[in-house]
Amino acid sequence: MIAGLLLAAGGGRRLGGRPKALLPYRGRPLVENAVRVLREAGCGPVHVVLGAGAAEVRERADLGGCVVAENPDWEEGMGSSLRVGLASLAGTGARAALVSLVDQPGIGAAAVARVLAAYRSPASLAAAAYDGERGHPVLFGADRWADIAATATGDKGARVHLRAHASELTLVECGDIAEDFDIDTPSDLARLARAELGSEANGA
């Protein structure tokens, strides 16, 4: 069992303070698309970490079937959300967590499934790569969660652990089937619109 762990706590500071989870995508909040991608790729269960506008996200987005955890310290950065998410997985029996970000609509189920296929054991460590450069999603075997949580601070997320264990990391090339851009600024919203059109054209 490999859990999907979606980090969706960002406040969209450079987007005028709009929670990224609620950005419109195909007529629905963006967080719903990210959850769908994890499920279609084969992740289960799916845990979602909310932060900015958590009450509004719960009200407006359909997160049925997901385990929702709230990060009261979301302004501290991605590291705090990663810690909350990994803590929510304790006791679930998951052998690994596939971590994805809510603001990367260019990464679909096919890319996530490729990274999932790199799982070998609870010590597994794998990440999607784009033209050889590490990106998201990232797969962390359960044996690694305690160390990741201990070193995940600020906006570093799991980078400290990934650097320390670079020789153990399996890179899974996904540049042929996905784009790993983030939605961070108003100009990025045009990319979100293009991703939406591309998704519709592909019948996704």
Side-chain angles (χ1 to χ4, degrees), residues 45-145:
V46 174
H47 287 222
V48 180
V49 179
L50 301 180
E56 186 181 3
V57 176
R58 284 179 179 271
E59 180 181 341
R60 292 178 51 192
D62 180 3
L63 298 177
C66 296
V67 175
V68 178
E70 291 191 25
N71 175 17
D73 302 316
W74 62 269
E75 291 181 284
E76 294 180 4
M78 188 189 303
S80 64
S81 291
L82 183 56
R83 293 195 305 271
V84 168
L86 291 175
S88 77
L89 290 171
T92 63
R95 297 175 184 147
L98 190 292
V99 180
S100 67
L101 308 180
V102 74
D103 66 339
Q104 293 190 318
I107 299 175
V112 175
R114 276 192 189 177
V115 179
L116 282 180
Y119 174 82
R120 297 293 180 271
S121 76
S124 289
L125 185 65
Y130 302 87
D131 295 326
E133 295 294 321
R134 176 174 57 80
H136 282 87
V138 183
L139 183 143
F140 301 119
D143 290 352
R144 298 182 179 273
W145 295 354

Side-chain angles (χ1 to χ4, degrees), residues 7-36:
L7 304 185
R13 186 183 73 256
R14 287 179 286 172
L15 290 167
R18 289 182 287 173
K20 290 186 177 183
L22 290 177
L23 290 173
Y25 185 78
R26 301 178 70 183
R28 298 295 304 164
L30 186 58
V31 65
E32 291 184 11
N33 172 72
V35 167
R36 177 183 59 82

Side-chain angles (χ1 to χ4, degrees), residues 84-202:
V84 168
L86 291 175
S88 77
L89 290 171
T92 63
R95 297 175 184 147
L98 190 292
V99 180
S100 67
L101 308 180
V102 74
D103 66 339
Q104 293 190 318
I107 299 175
V112 175
R114 276 192 189 177
V115 179
L116 282 180
Y119 174 82
R120 297 293 180 271
S121 76
S124 289
L125 185 65
Y130 302 87
D131 295 326
E133 295 294 321
R134 176 174 57 80
H136 282 87
V138 183
L139 183 143
F140 301 119
D143 290 352
R144 298 182 179 273
W145 295 354
D147 184 65
I148 291 169
T151 57
T153 59
D155 272 324
K156 293 178 181 177
R159 280 180 292 200
V160 172
H161 185 88
L162 289 166
R163 281 198 298 267
H165 299 275
S167 63
E168 303 161 40
L169 176 65
T170 298
L171 289 178
V172 181
E173 182 58 48
C174 294
D176 58 321
I177 55 172
E179 294 182 279
D180 67 335
F181 62 88
D182 301 329
I183 307 299
D184 287 328
T185 67
S187 62
D188 293 332
L189 294 175
R191 303 190 77 174
L192 179 62
R194 288 198 295 273
E196 182 173 358
L197 290 173
S199 175
E200 291 174 351
N202 292 328

